[in-house]
């Protein structure tokens, strides 16, 4: 596609429920990233994919968070047993090649609210 | 760990004034630096990408400089317009991972 697409754009869920967030990167972009932005705060790195492998998962906050990627395409971020502190905007970015030499393109994000 | 600082945190100027946004980073071993714009409730829009070997990049009214050795970048926006009102984020790329500053929120008054 022309840009990075994320769905849903907004998600309200009850505490304790599981949620899945989807990211569709730019076609041909081998690298894919997930970031989290809490209200009024900066962006936190969560996980990096190169192809369908994840060389760096160091930013995932807890074992309730997991992510997978199918080939060099769609990625899903899953949060199990959501907590109120998970409320944030989850941003996905993709990049042509590894290392970000060509810069990063971000999607519009998924705003997650846990009530 | 890379630390990125943006000064000022907020800026309010009358229309037509030039804007100067500062970004500093602690680890000079970077691949590139990217400036983004974020509108309220929206994602990030890339403005300029400067490779580590470059000193500056220009796009229209925007100019970004990079002094890698001193760990600094500056974004200049000439002749500001109300439509420039947004939060501007500096992101430093070190080994595939972007480290972000907290941003500078700009308000341009008509």
């Amino acid at each position: 596609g022309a840009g990075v697409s994320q769905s849903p754009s907004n998600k309200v869920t009850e505490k304790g429920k599981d949620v899945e967030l989807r990211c569709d990167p730019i076609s041909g972009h081998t690298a894919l990233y997930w970031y989290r932005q809490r209200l009024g705060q900066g962006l936190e790195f969560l996980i990096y994919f190169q192809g369908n492998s994840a060389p760096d998962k160091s930013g995932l906050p807890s074992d309730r968070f997991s992510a997978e990627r199918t080939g060099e395409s769609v990625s899903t971020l899953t949060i199990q047993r959501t907590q109120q502190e998970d409320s944030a905007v989850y941003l996905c970015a993709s990049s042509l090649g590894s290392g970000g030499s060509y810069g990063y393109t971000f999607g519009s994000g998924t705003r997650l609210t846990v009530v | 760990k890379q630390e990125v600082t943006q000064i000022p945190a907020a800026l309010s100027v009358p229309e037509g004034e030039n804007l100067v946004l500062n970004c500093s980073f602690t680890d000079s071993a970077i691949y590139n630096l990217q400036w983004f714009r974020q509108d309220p409730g929206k994602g990030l829009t890339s403005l300029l990408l400067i490779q580590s070997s470059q000193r500056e990049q220009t796009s229209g009214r925007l100019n970004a400089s990079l002094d890698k050795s001193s760990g600094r970048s500056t974004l200049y926006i000439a002749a500001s317009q109300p439509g420039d009102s947004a939060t501007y984020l500096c992101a430093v790329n070190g080994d595939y991972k972007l480290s972000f500053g907290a941003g500078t929120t700009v308000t341009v008054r008509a």
Side-chain angles (χ1 to χ4, degrees), chain B residues 24-41:
Chain B
S24 62
F25 48 95
T26 54
D27 186 350
S28 61
I30 66 170
Y31 289 115
N32 53 46
L33 183 147
Q34 199 165 356
W35 282 94
F36 292 92
R37 167 186 173 136
Q38 186 173 33
D39 292 286

Side-chain angles (χ1 to χ4, degrees), chain A residues 5-95:
Chain A
S5 178
Q6 291 189 247
S7 62
S9 55
N10 280 286
K11 176 74 175 178
V12 180
T13 190
E14 291 182 352
K15 179 180 172 181
K17 301 277 191 183
D18 298 352
V19 294
E20 281 191 355
L21 312 180
R22 176 187 168 108
C23 172
D24 207 337
I26 292 173
S27 178
H29 279 197
T30 58
L32 185 148
Y33 309 79
W34 285 96
Y35 285 82
R36 177 171 73 175
Q37 187 176 32
R38 287 176 162 147
L39 186 63
Q41 298 187 21
L43 275 79
E44 304 171 70
F45 168 81
L46 296 179
I47 187 169
Y48 155 62
F49 285 94
Q50 183 59 41
N52 63 4
S53 66
D56 191 345
K57 308 178 185 179
S58 63
L60 293 178
S62 73
D63 58 9
R64 296 187 295 106
F65 287 71
S66 63
E68 62 179 23
R69 186 178 185 196
T70 306
E72 294 183 352
S73 184
V74 172
S75 175
T76 303
L77 177 68
T78 301
I79 308 173
Q80 296 179 310
R81 306 181 302 280
T82 52
Q83 303 294 314
Q84 288 186 329
E85 68 256 27
D86 299 334
S87 295
V89 176
Y90 290 82
L91 290 159
C92 175
S94 69
S95 180

